[in-house]
Amino acid sequence: MRKTKLWSSLLVASLIATGCQSGETKSSENSSKSEGDSDSPYLASAKPVEMSIHYHSGDGTFVFDDNWSVFKEAAEKTNVSLKGVAPKTSTNSAEAFNLMIASGEIPNFVYGNKNSINEYAKEGAFLELDKLIKEHAPNIKKLIDEKPEIRAANVASDDKLYVVPYVYSEGAAQGYFIRQDWLNKLGLKQPQNVEEYYNVLKAFREKDPNENGKKDEIPYFHRPFSTDPNLAKYDLVTLWGANEDLYLDGDKVKFGPIDENYGKAMQEIAKWYKEGLIDPEIFTRGNQAREFMLGNNLGGSTRDWFASTSALNEQLKDQVPGLNFVPFAPPENTEGKRVEPTSRNPVMDTGLAIGHTTEDPVAAIKYLDFLFTEEGRTLMNYGVEGETYDLVDGKPVLKDEILKSESVPEKLRQYGAQTNLPYQHDAEYENQFLNEIAIEGVNMYVENNYFRKLFPRLGHTKDEEKVISGTKTQLTTYINETVQKWIMGVEPVDHKAFVKELKRLGVDDYIKTNQAAYDRISK
Ligand code: CA
């Protein structure tokens, strides 16, 4: 393949030209112990070494900064200090990754999408990690043994592991919210099923709960999410037992939009829209939908993240006296089930690989293993003791100045904590800044386990990727356009014709290819 050849020749050229690589470590583990003496039990190298890291994520949300105190602290503990080599000016992570690869100079640590890393790893750019982890990284090994889905989701098609991933928390993400103050005003109870939900939204529309004499209430609104701006709006389909994307039925991969329930759901959602129960501008309202709808005392109900949505009660209390926007249980759907379509996925699509020229791979993996120790985990989640948090009764408690910031995670990121580099996320820290409303909502959803089973993150071979990326774009475009026409009443819902078109666009191959990728990890 052309890319392989290009890659290999670049690699050879740079090896010959320089005789060394930019990613080379400046010391080896055989150095005499006396030179880098330290009491730390986490030493990855006997002598202080510097390793390079290419960390560019979220199109510039995260770019490694040598000044991050979290990694200065990690250097103290491990004797490994990191030097960032990703361009701070770039706002395109994929491009930054590709430029680094094309340069032929692979740093010691490289962050990226697992599929990209796995492809270049098979060409020799990155080291195999299974043996290194087994022999030198007991904390990573323990986590992978406890959660086999982490390895399964990250291995390349040759069944080898090349990335150490960030492991996110499990638990609640988004939930249903409703204006409790409006319910009280109208003498209504929280809706317990889809029919009651319809009746409540209808009452919000008809009975002037904002008491201005105008029929201006917008019962259901929704803010689009940048990750998947359109699909999120169709989360309501779960109220009719449908799915909006790939899902698992036992071990069978299925695609929600071709199911009969999806057509039924669309018919109902179109009806709700026609009756004014859904924001007429739901497709264009934008990211500030919550602030607009609640701040102007117009919106009645939504689905969104617990923390930021609950916080609006406090933020908007002067604008809308009595505002009480609270989480409620997902209404029972037409099949008698309460379904919350979202939850947190501990398995990510990205991770950190070790460059093939790394002189001391043992030090590199030991360094990453430190990030998975209790102490490393606290450092990566909470920052540096005395700077961002204090230990109270043995537990890290964030300092007031951190808790007072508008976004605690963003504040912590200024110190290098709460990134998506390899470590295990600790959702516990959120309890220090979530308000009571959010905590109650999260607990209700977790205790009752309303969450729909997550579709696993699959690793794809290059050939699978070809089928999937091309087809997925076509399917998504067609679905989004059609569904929008249906909901807005431009076209009547014709699910049969819709399925026929999806088949023409290759939905069967799309499902089959995902099934093959799923079968690889489920055996
Ligand atoms: Ca009104």
Side-chain angles (χ1 to χ4, degrees), residues 236-237 240 265-274 278 487:
L236 282 182
V237 299
W240 292 275
M266 283 303 150
Q267 229 142 19
E268 291 300 316
I269 292 172
K271 179 176 169 247
W272 287 25
Y273 186 91
K274 197 177 171 193
I278 291 176
I487 293 176

Side-chain angles (χ1 to χ4, degrees), residues 7-8 10-12 14-15 21-24 100-101 104-110 120-121 123-129 162 353-361:
W7 158 247
S8 315
L10 274 171
L11 188 61
V12 171
S14 73
L15 276 169
Q21 292 283 295
S22 67
E24 213 162 84
M100 177 273 302
I101 289 284
E105 295 188 357
I106 308 295
N108 297 121
F109 293 113
V110 174
Y120 290 110
E123 294 171 15
F126 303 111
L127 300 180
E128 287 179 40
L129 301 181
Y162 299 101
I354 299 180
H356 70 112
T357 55
T358 299
E359 205 174 77
D360 191 348

Side-chain angles (χ1 to χ4, degrees), residues 128-187:
E128 287 179 40
L129 301 181
D130 285 301
K131 191 160 171 265
L132 278 172
I133 289 173
K134 198 175 158 209
E135 290 172 2
H136 304 286
N139 296 286
I140 297 174
K141 184 179 179 299
K142 184 165 171 267
L143 191 62
I144 288 177
D145 287 346
E146 279 167 11
K147 296 175 187 282
E149 66 273 19
I150 294 174
R151 188 179 181 283
N154 284 289
V155 287
S157 53
D158 60 6
D159 199 35
K160 288 173 183 162
L161 187 68
Y162 299 101
V163 295
V164 178
Y166 164 57
V167 180
Y168 196 42
S169 301
E170 292 174 43
Q174 302 167 33
Y176 283 82
F177 276 77
I178 198 157
R179 287 288 296 269
Q180 185 61 48
D181 51 329
W182 282 11
L183 288 173
N184 295 350
K185 223 171 263 181
L186 301 177

